[in-house]
């Protein structure tokens, strides 16, 4: 009989959860509002998690969790908790084990997305690839040598910290996480339309872009020019087979049309092309999993950790 597992995905707005089988099939799912960091504690999170864990306790063989922040997923320790700052400094995996009397694991949300794509999505069978997740900032993960690469301090793939403009190194806007974050997309568009960027969201921007609004399209091009430059840099550094782009706006075919346009301009005008036959040209595609990616990746990490602990 196929075993079942409970997975949680902590986000800035909601914590999603799912009862899953061994092949990441989702049997049941739901969500609850994420306790806000400024006025919540870890116990506030458990007030929401406890009834869910109790509901499925007799059915499941473990709990897998995806959360923001920097953490050591093998030790199960959260150095930081991102938007869920009450997780900072917590041995969260051990707390889960003690509370629910089940095996438990935690992994960074961007790395979970990469693991999901590696297991069953756009990076399946890929030895060297990357996932880039576009959201409030820019997250993701690296698959190198067929495995998730975590780095010395478990922070590999924290793309938001990449310095993208040395002349703005003392400003948030000088870093990749801001340059290709959702807020900056709105600001790029507003710079062309003259409207208030705070009146925009992704639906409005892409609704107008898909309708052919030239000013909005110009703002989108500013966004993809910066995105293409950093995708190019990732590929130069790591010589990747595939770079998969995810996040809410990655559902928009127009985004990839403009990424392709920006990448072509970058490569066609590359000054080294005149002296070298090798100009790295990344293969860019979309992630296959959207809202469920972190749940799937969290479960995959749980399996990996269980396998390591039994060898």
């Amino acid at each position: 009989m196929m075993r079942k597992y409970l997975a949680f995905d902590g986000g800035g707005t909601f914590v999603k959860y799912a009862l899953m089988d061994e092949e990441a099939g989702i049997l049941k799912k739901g969500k609850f509002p994420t306790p806000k960091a400024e006025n919540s504690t870890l116990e506030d999170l458990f007030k929401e998690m406890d009834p869910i864990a109790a509901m499925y306790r007799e059915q499941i063989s473990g709990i897998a969790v995806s959360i923001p922040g920097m953490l050591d997923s093998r030790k199960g320790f959260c150095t930081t908790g991102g938007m869920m700052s009450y997780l900072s400094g917590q041995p969260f995996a051990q707390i889960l084990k003690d509370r629910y009397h089940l095996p438990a694991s935690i992994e960074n949300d961007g790395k979970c997305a990469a693991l999901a794509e590696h297991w069953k999505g756009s990076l399946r069978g890929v030895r060297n690839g990357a996932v880039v997740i576009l959201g409030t900032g820019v997250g993701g993960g690296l698959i190198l040598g067929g495995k998730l690469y975590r780095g010395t301090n478990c922070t590999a793939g924290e793309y938001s910290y990449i310095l993208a403009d040395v002349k703005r190194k003392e400003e948030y806007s000088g870093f990749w996480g801001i340059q290709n974050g959702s807020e900056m997309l709105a600001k790029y568009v507003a710079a062309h339309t003259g409207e208030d960027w705070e009146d925009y969201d992704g639906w409005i921007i892409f609704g107008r872009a898909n309708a052919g609004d030239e000013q909005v399209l110009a703002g989108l091009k500013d966004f993809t020019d910066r995105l293409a430059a950093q995708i190019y840099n990732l590929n130069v550094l790591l010589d990747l087979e595939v770079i998969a782009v995810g996040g809410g706006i990655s559902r928009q075919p127009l985004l990839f049309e403009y990424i392709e346009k920006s990448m072509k301009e970058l490569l066609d005008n590359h000054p080294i092309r005149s002296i070298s036959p090798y100009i790295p040209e990344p293969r860019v595609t979309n992630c296959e999993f959207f809202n469920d990616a972190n749940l799937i990746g969290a479960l995959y990490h749980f399996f990996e950790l269980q396998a390591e602990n039994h060898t």
Side-chain angles (χ1 to χ4, degrees):
M1 184 176 178
M2 190 173 288
R3 292 186 176 185
K4 298 175 185 177
Y5 301 87
L6 184 59
F8 290 90
D9 170 25
T13 305
F14 291 102
V15 175
K16 292 173 283 186
Y17 62 89
L19 180 67
M20 307 175 76
D21 63 27
E22 295 174 4
E23 292 299 321
I26 294 178
L27 308 174
K28 295 179 182 178
K29 65 193 305 186
K31 63 183 180 180
F32 58 83
T34 303
K36 298 304 179 185
E38 61 271 12
N39 52 17
S40 298
T41 67
L42 186 55
E43 277 304 311
D44 292 315
L45 177 64
F46 281 128
K47 284 177 186 176
E48 301 289 346
M49 292 179 67
D50 285 351
I52 299 162
M55 186 189 314
Y56 297 117
R57 174 68 183 82
E58 300 304 318
Q59 302 180 50
I60 59 176
S61 299
I63 295 175
V65 181
S66 162
I67 48 177
M70 297 181 184
L71 55 92
D72 186 327
S73 58
R74 287 194 167 86
K75 293 180 179 178
F77 184 82
C78 298
T79 304
T80 70
M83 298 283 287
M84 304 170 77
S85 60
Y86 40 80
L87 295 175
S88 298
Q90 298 285 351
F92 192 43
Q94 189 61 51
I95 292 172
L96 291 167
K97 292 174 189 177
D98 294 342
R99 194 175 188 100
Y100 300 127
H101 307 291
L102 285 166
S105 66
I106 62 171
E107 181 58 281
N108 167 267
D109 49 5
K111 291 178 175 61
C112 282
L115 286 171
E117 295 299 325
H118 177 54
W119 186 18
K120 292 181 174 293
S122 296
L123 300 186
R124 188 174 186 177
V126 170
R127 188 160 178 78
N128 298 305
V131 164
V132 175
I133 304 297
L134 304 176
T136 304
V138 182
L142 302 168
I143 301 296
L144 301 178
K147 296 181 178 181
L148 178 69
Y149 179 69
R150 292 182 171 86
T152 304
N153 298 299
C154 301
T155 62
E158 293 290 337
Y159 307 134
S160 282
Y161 292 86
I162 290 175
L163 179 60
D165 185 346
V166 69
K167 293 183 178 179
R168 295 183 176 178
K169 60 182 179 293
E170 297 177 358
E171 303 172 21
Y172 289 120
S173 60
F175 293 82
W176 188 14
I178 301 300
Q179 289 200 357
N180 280 125
S182 54
E183 183 177 299
M184 195 59 77
L185 172 59
K187 288 181 177 179
Y188 294 144
V189 170
H192 289 275
T193 64
E195 298 167 348
D196 187 343
W197 69 269
E198 292 186 285
D199 291 338
Y200 297 138
D201 61 20
W203 292 108
I204 292 172
I205 289 171
F206 278 95
R208 289 172 58 174
N210 284 309
D213 186 317
E214 292 296 333
Q215 292 175 319
V216 174
L217 289 170
L220 177 60
K221 180 64 162 46
D222 289 342
F223 181 84
T224 59
D225 282 349
R226 289 165 174 81
L227 179 58
Q230 297 307 329
I231 288 173
Y232 165 84
N233 287 339
L234 270 181
N235 194 55
V236 169
L237 286 170
L238 300 171
D239 190 16
L240 303 169
E241 297 168 58
V242 180
I243 297 173
V245 178
I249 65 172
S250 70
R251 291 177 180 269
Q252 295 285 341
L254 188 63
L255 175 71
F256 289 90
E257 180 183 324
Y258 268 68
I259 291 173
E260 185 176 339
K261 183 183 296 187
S262 294
M263 190 67 68
K264 185 176 187 305
E265 287 183 6
L266 187 158
L267 297 173
D268 285 350
N269 296 302
H270 202 300
I272 299 178
R273 187 176 292 278
S274 62
I275 60 174
S276 172
Y278 175 67
I279 302 298
E281 188 168 346
R283 178 186 157 206
V284 183
T285 188
N286 63 307
C287 291
E288 288 189 23
F289 302 111
F290 297 99
N291 291 337
D292 298 330
N294 295 351
L295 296 167
I296 295 168
L299 183 61
Y300 184 79
H301 170 65
F302 176 90
F303 291 150
E304 279 195 319
L305 206 57
Q306 291 295 298
E308 286 179 13
N309 292 337
H310 288 89
T311 56

